[in-house]
């Protein structure tokens, strides 16, 4: 699985344009990470991109804004903000919502699995050796819980990352800073078949 995370760090394209290009490139999961966006902007953006993602069958989630996920009818939310409680959020959003959490240790990952959190994401500062160690420890206890690694450097080496045992990767800049984001997305998607 590849999650393309879209941030508002691009002066060439709007967020809506980047979502459109990711969809055109065959992306199946888009995450919006717009921490400084206000609610009015997010709702306006949602009017533009939610129908597009629904029509294309693309999962659309947002980082750290469960209220926006609920108001826009998004698939779910990813939590990296420690102030947000994923267990309470599961209760609030229901069993259908996709909820992911950034975790740094196996114990927390196992607690998230028991709490019906859909996947965990590793911090973006983990190198391949630390990812491999995390995965060995986790797989000894839970052989199938989905784990994604975050880091733009993985865009060029998805196969090596998958060989470490993770389920996928979260990448952003290699797509939204590429000369052609559609082509960059196509290349990413081709790496995972």
């Amino acid at each position: 699985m590849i999650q393309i995370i879209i941030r508002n760090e691009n002066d060439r394209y709007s967020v809506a344009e980047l979502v459109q290009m990711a969809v055109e490139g065959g992306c199946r999961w888009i995450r919006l990470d717009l921490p400084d966006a206000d609610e009015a902007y997010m709702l306006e953006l949602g009017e533009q991109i939610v129908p597009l993602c629904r029509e294309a069958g693309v999962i659309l989630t947002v980082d750290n804004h469960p209220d926006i996920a609920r108001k826009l009818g998004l698939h779910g939310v990813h939590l990296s903000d420690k102030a947000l409680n994923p267990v309470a959020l599961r209760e609030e959003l229901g069993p259908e919502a996709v909820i992911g959490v950034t975790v740094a240790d196996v114990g927390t990952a196992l607690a998230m699995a028991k709490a019906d959190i859909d996947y965990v994401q590793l911090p973006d500062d983990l190198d391949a050796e630390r990812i491999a160690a995390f995965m060995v420890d986790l797989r000894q206890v839970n052989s199938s819980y989905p784990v994604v690694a975050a880091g733009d450097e993985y865009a060029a080496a998805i196969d090596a990352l998958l060989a470490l045992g993770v389920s996928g990767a979260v990448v952003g800049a290699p797509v939204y800073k590429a000369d052609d984001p559609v082509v960059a997305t196509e290349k990413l998607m081709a790496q995972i078949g």
Side-chain angles (χ1 to χ4, degrees):
M1 132 194 35
I2 299 283
Q3 295 177 5
I4 294 182
I5 191 164
I6 296 182
R7 297 183 171 107
N8 213 1
E9 300 172 353
N10 191 310
D11 55 359
R12 293 184 306 155
Y13 304 109
S14 70
V15 171
E17 289 171 324
L18 288 168
V19 169
Q20 172 71 39
M21 288 185 275
V23 169
E24 286 177 22
C27 177
R28 307 306 305 153
W29 189 327
I30 295 173
R31 263 178 53 195
L32 301 175
D33 182 14
L34 307 169
D36 299 326
D38 63 26
E39 184 173 313
Y41 171 79
M42 294 295 284
L43 295 175
E44 181 181 320
L45 176 64
E47 289 178 15
Q48 298 172 52
I49 65 172
V50 170
L52 168 70
C53 289
R54 281 192 183 135
E55 183 177 314
V58 173
I59 296 170
L60 180 60
T61 58
V62 65
D63 282 22
N64 299 315
H65 288 285
D67 52 329
I68 295 297
R70 191 174 33 260
K71 288 178 182 177
L72 291 175
L74 303 183
H75 291 94
V77 64
H78 180 87
L79 304 175
S80 59
D81 183 345
K82 304 252 188 260
L84 297 168
N85 181 333
V87 177
L89 191 58
R90 169 58 71 208
E91 290 274 326
E92 182 183 330
L93 295 179
E96 316 81 31
V98 176
I99 300 176
V101 178
T102 300
V103 303
D105 61 85
V106 171
T108 305
L110 291 170
M112 294 300 102
K114 289 177 185 171
D116 194 29
I117 303 305
D118 296 292
Y119 70 94
V120 293
Q121 173 186 305
L122 300 176
D124 61 6
D125 61 351
L126 294 185
D127 60 19
E129 185 177 315
R130 289 171 52 205
I131 291 171
F134 181 99
M135 294 308 300
V136 166
D137 291 346
L138 179 67
R139 295 301 181 223
Q140 287 177 351
V141 181
N142 185 326
S143 63
S144 62
Y145 191 53
V147 176
V148 296
D152 291 332
E153 68 273 13
Y154 298 126
I158 299 296
D159 53 345
L161 187 63
L162 295 174
L164 296 176
V166 300
S167 306
V170 178
V171 297
V175 171
Y176 62 76
K177 290 184 178 179
D179 289 338
D180 186 335
V182 175
V183 171
T185 302
E186 290 170 346
K187 287 180 181 176
L188 272 174
M189 296 304 111
Q191 289 184 60
I192 60 166

